[in-house]
Amino acid sequence: MYPPRVLAFPAVLLAASLAAPAVAASTAVKSDSPADTPVDYAYALPLQVNGKQGVVSLRLPQTVYLKARTAELDDLRVFDAHSMVQPHALYRPPAEQPARHGVLAARIFPVRGGASTAASRAPIDIDIQTRSDGSVQSVQARTGRVPDRDRAAISQLILDFGPAAKGDDNDPLRIEALRFQAPSGQGSYSAEVWLETSDDLKQWHTAGVAELSWLRNDGAQTLASDRLELSPQSFRYARLSWRRGEPILFPGITAETVKPQSSEPARETLWIKPVAGRQAGDLVYAAGVALPVEQFSLGLQEANIVYPMALGAYVERPSRQAGKTTEWVFQPRSQATFYRITQDGQTRRSGAVGIGLGVGHQQEWVIRPLNAAATAQPELGLSWQAATLIFLAGGTPPYTLSFGRSDAPPLNRTLDQVAPGFTPVELRQLEQAQVGELQVGRSGAAAASAASQAAAAARQRTYILWGVLLLGVAILGGMVWRLVRQMNVGKEA
């Protein structure tokens, strides 16, 4: 009689055990739903556009980097008014190199008593006297016997643009053209001039040639060709000679200069205050996994301080100590020495230090002082080049930039799939979307992220399994109690 009752327990337990995976499976299907709507993301930024352009850009604000939950910004989405995803690409424009233009006036020294025209091209021996600083003091032709009528005739011009024309190694200067001023009262004029350049007044190099001309009409209007263009180059001295036309003394000659700017990209910097680390002396700085850190710096407030340090992160690994399963260890990524020193009334500060490729994404950064006695707690500055989001405004405005979902699949496209055929200049001139205030969740409620849903599903599965186990224990206890009672009844009989 009793065995059938005993076998009833495994059947019940088996049914309960099968029910648990079924519930868990239904939850997993729900969490892996392919739906991609604004409510699936924890944060949103309204985007304002004029609605007239098909391609719009947005330089990603700092908030996106701090709130995004994927290192490569895979959780960025641009939704239109109907929650339709708009194609987008992430673009880091090359560093612009705008040039600074200026002018330098030349000191002009005429060479008289020689000839350098089409009629006579014999070389002219010139005696040039200079001062200790290299500036030209006097110029005189040494051509032997010269007819009296030619003693006052101009054959060449020596130009001195001064030491500023060379710039320096860190800030080079280049001359790209010379501009000539016509003499007062000069009528129509035409000539072919040749330009040679030098850095020491000994070695000369042909640099360019130009047709100079002025044409005045009865109304005192002038049509002028008064510019000699060069390939940008550096020189201090120049020599001007005529191959055609009459040599004249120009009242003014100026050099048009150009200085290339630094090619460093524009970066943003986030300053973070420290908290105590897991190990004594360590300082921890909470950042964001999406920050593509390229450089770091320290804000030292103490006077006359030298601060050698290592920058890295904590890494969890299996513990080598008995009784512990895992442990946190410091893994250095970069080392540097920062300082703030006052000397002769001037404060010297260390600059930013670069971080190696592939190590710039960390949820938190750790500083370990290399001086065990260090007590300073400096702020950490993290610098990066913000990407430009370029999206195709093909939906219905208004648009929203959503982010904050750890399991979002990447939808970032290549630039030629969003703005095909656009040049770098056109990309820089795209309309810039205006960003509204950050919204947490949708309709005033925080949207549950996929990570929190997965955690809730895991907790639900745990509760079900514990319930099944407790139910099995209760049934087993009841059966044991009934068996013991029946055995006692049999003994009494």
Side-chain angles (χ1 to χ4, degrees):
M1 300 174 48
Y2 305 118
R5 293 192 182 111
V6 174
L7 292 175
F9 165 68
V12 173
L13 186 59
L14 178 61
S17 301
L18 293 175
V23 174
S26 65
T27 306
V29 170
K30 184 176 181 181
S31 65
D32 295 337
S33 173
D36 197 13
T37 62
V39 296
D40 297 321
Y41 297 84
Y43 304 98
L45 286 172
L47 303 180
Q48 298 179 4
V49 300
N50 62 23
K52 298 179 181 179
Q53 303 299 329
V55 179
V56 184
S57 68
L58 170 69
R59 182 179 171 86
L60 291 181
Q62 193 176 105
T63 302
V64 173
Y65 285 100
L66 296 178
K67 302 292 186 182
R69 293 177 179 170
T70 56
E72 301 300 329
L73 298 175
D74 292 337
D75 55 330
L76 293 190
R77 297 291 187 273
V78 177
F79 292 103
D80 72 351
H82 300 300
S83 299
M84 298 298 295
V85 177
Q86 305 300 300
H88 77 272
L90 291 178
Y91 173 65
R92 285 183 173 83
E96 296 183 36
Q97 300 185 26
R100 290 177 292 169
H101 294 273
V103 294
L104 279 177
R107 296 178 62 218
I108 305 173
F109 297 86
V111 178
R112 301 179 184 274
S116 181
T117 64
S120 175
R121 298 186 180 179
I124 303 175
D125 187 11
I126 304 174
D127 179 21
I128 303 177
Q129 300 294 323
T130 61
R131 299 183 178 88
S132 59
D133 61 357
S135 61
V136 176
Q137 183 176 8
S138 65
V139 174
Q140 185 176 1
R142 295 183 298 194
T143 57
R145 188 174 182 85
V146 179
D148 293 339
R149 66 177 180 275
D150 294 334
R151 291 184 184 277
I154 295 175
S155 57
Q156 294 182 352
L157 298 179
I158 301 298
L159 312 179
D160 182 0
F161 292 98
K166 295 293 294 181
D168 55 56
D169 294 338
N170 297 323
D171 193 14
L173 185 72
R174 301 289 183 264
I175 296 176
E176 59 182 1
L178 298 185
R179 190 175 291 276
F180 300 85
Q181 180 181 347
S184 177
Q186 177 74 38
S188 297
Y189 178 79
S190 178
E192 179 184 313
V193 296
W194 286 62
L195 183 74
E196 297 170 280
T197 62
S198 175
D199 289 327
D200 57 6
L201 294 171
K202 297 177 182 179
Q203 299 293 326
W204 296 88
H205 307 280
T206 301
V209 61
E211 290 279 349
L212 300 181
S213 61
W214 288 273
L215 181 61
R216 284 191 173 96
N217 59 17
D218 295 337
Q221 295 176 329
T222 302
L223 181 63
S225 174
D226 58 358
R227 196 167 180 268
L228 189 157
E229 294 187 359
L230 310 170
S231 59
Q233 54 191 282
S234 176
F235 59 88
R236 174 171 179 174
Y237 309 103
R239 182 166 67 185
L240 199 68
S241 58
W242 278 256
R243 293 297 183 266
R244 181 177 57 79
E246 178 188 359
I248 61 174
L249 179 59
F250 300 99
I253 300 177
T254 55
E256 297 179 358
T257 63
V258 59
K259 276 188 177 182
Q261 293 281 64
S262 172
S263 60
E264 280 290 307
R267 292 188 176 95
E268 296 189 15
T269 301
L270 172 69
W271 290 96
I272 312 171
K273 294 182 180 296
V275 296
R278 296 176 182 269
Q279 301 177 20
D282 289 353
L283 301 175
V284 174
Y285 301 81
V289 70
L291 283 177
V293 180
E294 299 173 347
Q295 296 179 343
F296 70 97
S297 51
L298 291 189
L300 296 168
Q301 302 301 322
E302 295 79 1
N304 298 327
I305 179 174
V306 177
Y307 193 87
M309 49 77 74
L311 178 72
Y314 287 132
V315 178
E316 190 176 14
R317 71 179 185 186
S319 177
R320 301 177 181 176
Q321 299 180 7
K324 289 186 177 181
T325 57
T326 62
E327 63 180 354
W328 293 92
V329 296
F330 174 72
Q331 186 177 74
R333 302 294 174 84
S334 181
Q335 290 189 5
T337 298
F338 291 88
Y339 57 87
R340 184 172 183 264
I341 300 174
T342 301
Q343 189 77 11
D344 296 329
Q346 301 293 324
T347 300
R348 303 182 182 184
R349 293 183 175 87
S350 49
V353 176
I355 294 181
L357 295 176
V359 300
H361 296 276
Q362 294 291 339
Q363 188 64 42
E364 65 178 20
W365 293 89
V366 180
I367 283 182
R368 174 164 291 180
L370 300 182
N371 180 1
T375 59
Q377 295 194 346
E379 292 187 354
L380 174 64
L382 302 178
S383 302
W384 72 96
Q385 181 187 7
T388 297
L389 177 81
I390 297 178
F391 68 94
L392 189 64
T396 304
Y399 299 99
T400 302
L401 176 62
S402 298
F403 51 97
R405 179 180 174 184
S406 58
D407 68 339
L411 291 185
N412 181 32
R413 301 190 181 185
T414 59
L415 189 60
D416 59 359
Q417 293 178 339
V418 178
F422 281 63
T423 66
V425 174
E426 291 175 320
L427 292 174
R428 287 196 298 267
Q429 295 174 349
L430 289 177
E431 176 193 354
Q432 293 287 319
Q434 301 300 312
V435 178
E437 294 185 4
L438 178 68
Q439 298 176 358
V440 180
R442 301 292 290 173
S443 303
S449 67
S452 62
Q453 293 177 10
R459 289 194 298 271
Q460 185 179 9
R461 290 193 296 269
T462 302
Y463 296 153
I464 292 174
L465 290 174
W466 274 107
V468 171
L469 291 175
L470 292 175
L471 177 62
V473 171
I475 294 175
L476 182 60
M479 293 182 64
V480 171
W481 179 79
R482 292 192 62 174
L483 286 173
V484 171
R485 182 179 177 185
Q486 290 175 359
M487 291 174 61
N488 292 334
V489 171
K491 290 181 181 180
E492 292 176 356

